[in-house]
Amino acid sequence: MTDTTTDTAGTVDVRGRIPEQGDGCEAADILAAVRTHVDPELRRAIDTLPGSLRGVALYHFGWEHADGTPARGNAGKAIRPALVLTAVRALGGDPAPAVRAAAAVELVHNFTLLHDDVMDRDTTRRHRPTAWTVFGDADAILAGDAMQALAQRLLAEDPHPGAPAAAARLATCVMELCAGQHADCALERRSPDEVTLDECLAMAEAKTGALLGCACALGAVYAGAGPEEVEALDGFGREAGLAFQLIDDVIGIWGDPGRTGKPAGADLAVRKKSLPVVAALASGTPAAAELAELYGGRPGGTEADPGDAARVARAVESAGGRDWAQVHAADRMSRAMGQLARAVPDPAAADGLLTLAEFVTRRTY
């Protein structure tokens, strides 16, 4: 079993893989170890919020019910903070001083989730009603704003010499995340035949790849790495993030609601232009023509009949959207490996980061 203890100096052990264990178990060990160290920092930060916003945040993380009573919910996988701490380790640093930075990245991630749920009108996250459905749009948005401010305060108050550079990088990342979300909303207002695959890939890199890249880069900063290693790890995270988004889009269409915590075919029901859908529309096949008719036949955001999502999913698959997404995810992972080798040439040192990247792109659904 992977050692996930903390030594007497406070070093977080996130060393990663043991060859005889399966990938999922190895990643689970890393994520569980990171969660035990990052969650207390998150709780301390959230406890400083004003009462009403604190309640929304605690509900969103699964730590309280809507009435304020304690809950043992799902706070998420902690992939992004795990990337921060594992990147520090990969470059020979001590992850313990980077726990604040890891918590800051997780706060920014959850700020985006709160806002995205409001904008997308998603009603379920992590197997429970989304915060806006319980507390209203305004409270969910303001709680997200407060989380972003908390992230910056954690870094502003951090005495680590890398904290100023980390704060600047995280702030730049937030702007890129906002630009990506803006592009996503703009694409959804356009008809299917006006949206290109390159536009969707650029949007996905900004929305998803940017924060995974930032997480890895912050780990490099806290390890005292040079600019080339920092940028290479940012590139690794971005490419892995695109692979993650491709697989996530596949799961969003064909995933099991019992595993995903979201209704089956929800994105298709509102005619979301996810990457498999846009690839299918661009295939030039008879199924693509059928899909275009289905997607153009009802405005996005309206309710579908019970069999509609299944019919659209079949059209996406027949037009090659599912296969394209899976092949392109593998290509992005190959590019990620190249970036990782630039930053961490020693395969043994890079093992934990590779384990996490494989975990997010080999999920079952």
Side-chain angles (χ1 to χ4, degrees):
M1 174 177 284
T2 301
D3 181 2
T4 58
T5 60
T6 303
D7 66 23
T8 55
T11 299
V12 182
D13 193 339
V14 287
R15 283 175 290 185
R17 112 174 16 217
I18 300 296
E20 64 267 25
Q21 291 191 309
D23 284 345
C25 183
E26 295 164 16
D29 288 341
I30 296 173
L31 295 171
V34 168
R35 189 98 262 174
T36 62
H37 294 283
V38 172
D39 278 2
E41 192 69 46
L42 286 170
R43 292 296 295 262
R44 280 191 291 271
I46 289 170
D47 282 346
T48 66
L49 290 173
S52 57
L53 296 180
R54 182 170 63 248
V56 178
L58 290 170
Y59 172 86
H60 170 77
F61 275 103
W63 294 326
E64 282 188 2
H65 297 294
D67 62 2
T69 56
R72 298 183 64 182
N74 178 6
K77 298 181 183 69
I79 291 166
R80 290 152 190 85
L83 287 171
V84 176
L85 300 181
T86 309
V88 177
R89 172 72 74 186
L91 290 165
D94 177 3
V99 169
R100 279 191 188 179
V105 170
E106 186 72 343
L107 284 167
V108 165
H109 173 54
N110 282 276
F111 138 70
T112 68
L113 296 183
L114 281 163
H115 283 205
D116 285 0
D117 285 344
V118 173
M119 286 183 274
D120 296 341
R121 309 316 284 172
D122 285 337
T123 58
T124 306
R125 180 172 294 281
R126 298 168 181 162
H127 304 278
R128 69 196 315 217
T130 46
W132 73 267
T133 67
V134 176
F135 300 97
D137 289 1
D139 282 4
I141 292 168
L142 291 169
D145 293 342
M147 284 188 193
Q148 186 196 158
L150 279 179
Q152 288 296 330
R153 191 175 75 186
L154 281 178
L155 295 176
E157 295 176 348
D158 191 348
H160 192 280
R169 184 173 282 269
L170 188 60
T172 300
C173 177
V174 168
M175 289 187 280
E176 187 174 357
L177 293 171
C178 292
Q181 179 65 13
H182 182 269
D184 190 16
C185 294
L187 290 176
E188 293 307 316
R189 292 193 294 267
R190 289 157 57 182
S191 64
D193 60 346
E194 295 176 340
V195 176
T196 70
L197 202 47
D198 285 344
E199 287 178 306
C200 288
L201 286 167
M203 176 270 294
E205 180 178 350
K207 276 195 65 173
T208 304
L211 189 55
L212 270 71
C214 182
C216 295
L218 261 59
V221 168
Y222 271 71
E228 290 186 5
E229 288 85 0
V230 173
E231 293 308 317
L233 277 184
D234 184 88
F236 162 73
R238 283 175 180 272
E239 296 291 358
L242 264 176
F244 170 90
Q245 186 60 58
L246 285 154
I247 297 302
D248 199 58
D249 283 353
V250 169
I251 292 172
I253 297 173
W254 293 281
D256 176 4
R259 288 177 175 269
T260 66
K262 294 185 177 183
D267 287 351
L268 298 179
V270 298
R271 299 302 190 254
K272 188 170 182 63
K273 298 177 185 72
S274 63
L275 286 162
V277 168
V278 176
L281 287 167
S283 68
T285 62
E290 177 191 357
L291 178 61
E293 185 177 348
L294 289 169
Y295 250 60
R298 187 178 62 253
T302 59
E303 292 298 325
D305 63 79
D308 180 76
R311 189 166 72 252
V312 176
R314 286 194 297 270
V316 175
E317 187 160 14
S318 297
R322 185 175 188 170
D323 287 343
W324 177 89
Q326 291 171 328
V327 168
H328 201 72
D331 176 63
R332 290 292 177 168
M333 272 299 294
S334 177
R335 299 185 197 189
M337 297 306 104
Q339 295 281 11
L340 180 58
R342 285 178 53 214
V344 190
D346 178 6
D351 205 40
L353 287 171
L354 177 59
T355 296
L356 291 172
E358 289 178 341
F359 170 76
V360 301
T361 56
R362 292 186 180 181
R363 292 169 294 158
T364 59
Y365 53 93

